[in-house]
Amino acid sequence: MRVEIWSDIACPWCYVGKARFEKALGAFPHRDQVEVVHRSFELDPHRAKNDVQPVLTMLAKKYGMSEAQAQAGEKNLGTQAAAEGLDYRTQGRDHGNTFDMHRLLHFAKEQGRQDRLIQILYRANFAEERSLFTEGDERLVELAVEAGLDAEAVRTVLADPAAYADAVRADEREAAELGANGVPFFVLDRKYGVSGAQPAEVFTQALTQAWGERPPLKLIEDGGAEACGPDGCAVPQN
């Protein structure tokens, strides 16, 4: 079974939702047969690469609230994150363009390091004092190396704005086609969708239902062709 997760590094509920989903997946009897793929979704796709601002300022402007209200919301998120065993800085974070991070995540998928990289990027954005947006490409290189990627290969990807750009845009178009207008958005076997950072119990129910409704394998008769089994291999008789 395949689970696709549309998310953005700048999305705190994606950070929390991933932890809740993984809690459910960890207890799922068929977890070893579940493939998880992370898909791209930018919450702020039109923001310029060098346009970085404090999270509280961004929230107040975007939602028409005071910074005190924005701070209260961040404290609530911190409480929600802590309940999932996650560190979360409720003050001092900033916000910026995540397109290069999504490009790197597509590169990391090819190297079998996608899940590791997205978790490291979440940690860097939500739990660490150093900014994920103001230190340039070398900050991303450092984090990608921690995820097991080659530094020079990562620099090559970041230096080419076209590298994996089409893959990011394709994910975003597909999200729109599936009706996802927010993240996190989980799609199970292209049959069921789960929107938002639901409790682990909801993910458990979705995994169980999707697994139970997988169609049985239909065997096409092979006309008695030779095959190998527990008792050995059939030997053609002349």
Side-chain angles (χ1 to χ4, degrees):
M1 184 167 70
R2 169 180 280 201
V3 178
E4 297 163 277
I5 307 173
W6 271 264
S7 59
D8 191 10
I9 302 303
C11 165
W13 288 118
C14 296
Y15 179 47
V16 173
K18 183 177 187 294
R20 291 175 177 172
F21 169 75
E22 288 177 346
K23 181 179 179 181
L25 182 61
F28 186 57
H30 309 288
R31 59 186 176 275
D32 293 340
Q33 299 176 64
V34 177
E35 177 192 13
V36 178
V37 179
H38 297 282
R39 301 292 191 190
S40 298
F41 189 107
E42 294 173 276
L43 290 174
D44 205 350
H46 303 298
R47 180 177 291 272
K49 182 175 180 178
N50 295 321
D51 182 5
V52 180
Q53 65 182 149
V55 164
L56 295 181
T57 302
M58 179 275 295
L59 290 173
K61 181 178 180 180
K62 184 173 182 177
Y63 297 107
M65 62 175 67
S66 68
E67 289 205 6
Q69 290 172 315
Q71 181 64 72
E74 283 292 282
K75 287 183 178 179
N76 175 57
L77 273 162
T79 300
Q80 300 274 353
E84 305 303 329
L86 301 172
D87 292 328
Y88 190 97
R89 296 179 66 237
T90 60
Q91 298 186 47
R93 293 194 303 108
D94 55 18
H95 175 80
N97 182 287
T98 58
F99 188 63
D100 284 347
M101 299 173 206
H102 286 293
R103 294 196 300 115
L104 278 183
L105 285 165
H106 278 277
F107 170 65
K109 181 177 182 294
E110 293 181 347
Q111 311 301 314
R113 294 287 186 271
Q114 188 187 51
D115 189 74
R116 176 66 175 146
L117 179 59
I118 197 170
Q119 190 61 38
I120 288 172
L121 291 173
Y122 278 143
R123 183 203 71 206
N125 187 41
F126 293 109
E128 296 183 356
E129 291 187 14
R130 292 176 62 189
S131 172
L132 193 57
F133 302 100
T134 61
E135 295 189 26
D137 287 351
E138 282 306 302
R139 174 68 168 141
L140 294 182
V141 172
E142 173 189 325
L143 296 170
V145 168
E146 183 182 343
L149 298 172
D150 177 75
E152 288 308 313
V154 170
R155 290 189 182 99
T156 298
V157 171
L158 291 173
D160 179 5
Y164 300 96
D166 288 346
V168 176
R169 298 305 183 210
D171 276 359
E172 293 174 337
R173 286 194 301 272
E174 199 163 12
E177 292 167 2
L178 290 170
N181 53 19
V183 284
F185 189 71
F186 302 77
V187 176
L188 290 75
D189 264 355
R190 288 300 170 108
K191 193 172 182 180
Y192 294 101
V194 178
S195 180
Q198 300 287 347
E201 293 78 10
V202 173
F203 290 119
T204 297
Q205 180 181 357
L207 287 165
T208 301
Q209 185 170 348
W211 182 269
E213 295 185 12
R214 297 171 76 230
L217 182 68
K218 293 182 179 180
L219 179 65
I220 298 175
E221 293 296 336
D222 59 12
E226 293 82 2
C228 294
D231 298 324
C233 299
V235 179
Q237 302 295 319
N238 292 329

